[in-house]
């Protein structure tokens, strides 16, 4: 049976650009979660469902898997940059945020450090730029004389820690990341997202 609306009934308001921004943000969060749990080759339909949108909405924002992966990496880096910009933030505080992103975005770790990015060269090129931004942000909070201050020790340590971020559960990945930092003799603050 088709139900017709009466003149007194109103259709839900179309939020237009607000809905678009909300949908994009939901897709990035969903992609981080799904890729972390199921890998970078997880079905995009799974991401759309997790975000509560249709696949058409996903493709309007992200024309392909690479664009979505890049958006997640970009969001990770943006939050790390924001965490380092906070007045009084220490390297220890910021490393807690960096570690959270490594744990939550485990599927992307290889993209940050791999030579080839498995045929996803556009991601690799962008990941290199993002990696440089992370390094600049972290160096801004590195105290003089810190053990990671020489040469490329900072990014090598980060690569070593992110390489240790493996395991079937979030808790296991976090435990391994913190153990890796500890073995490197680097103190890490509470593991949480920026603003979390």
């Amino acid at each position: 049976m088709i139900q017709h609306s009466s003149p007194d009934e109103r259709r839900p308001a179309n939020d237009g650009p607000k809905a678009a921004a909300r949908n994009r943000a939901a897709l990035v969060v969903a992609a981080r979660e799904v890729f972390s749990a199921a890998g970078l080759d997880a079905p995009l339909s799974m991401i759309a469902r997790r975000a509560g949108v249709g696949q058409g909405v996903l493709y309007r924002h992200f024309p392909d898997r690479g664009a979505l992966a890049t958006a997640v990496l970009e969001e990770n880096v943006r939050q790390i940059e924001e965490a380092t910009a906070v007045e009084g933030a220490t390297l220890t505080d910021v490393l807690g945020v960096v570690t959270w992103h490594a744990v939550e975005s485990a599927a992307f770790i290889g993209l940050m450090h791999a030579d080839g990015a498995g045929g996803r060269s556009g991601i690799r090129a962008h990941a290199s730029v993002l990696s440089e931004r992370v390094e600049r942000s972290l160096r801004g909070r590195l105290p003089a004389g810190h053990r990671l201050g020489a040469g490329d020790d900072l990014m090598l340590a980060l690569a070593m820690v992110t390489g240790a971020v493996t395991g079937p559960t979030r808790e296991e990945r976090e435990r391994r990341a913190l153990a890796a930092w500890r073995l490197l003799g680097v103190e890490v603050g509470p593991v949480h997202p920026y603003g979390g």
Side-chain angles (χ1 to χ4, degrees), residues 62-138:
F62 305 106
D64 58 33
R65 184 178 305 276
L68 184 55
T70 299
V72 174
L73 283 170
E74 178 69 41
E75 177 65 13
N76 291 354
V77 172
R78 186 189 61 73
Q79 288 187 19
I80 291 166
E81 289 172 331
E82 288 177 3
T84 60
V86 171
E87 184 74 31
T90 65
L91 179 65
T92 300
D93 299 330
V94 175
L95 288 178
V97 174
V98 170
T99 301
W100 184 86
H101 282 288
V103 168
E104 292 298 319
S105 295
F108 296 95
I109 298 308
L111 296 175
M112 292 291 283
H113 305 293
D115 291 331
R120 296 179 175 96
S121 59
I123 298 171
R124 175 64 189 137
H126 194 66
S128 178
V129 170
L130 295 176
S131 184
E132 291 169 10
R133 286 173 48 194
V134 169
E135 182 174 10
R136 267 194 313 275
S137 294
L138 293 176

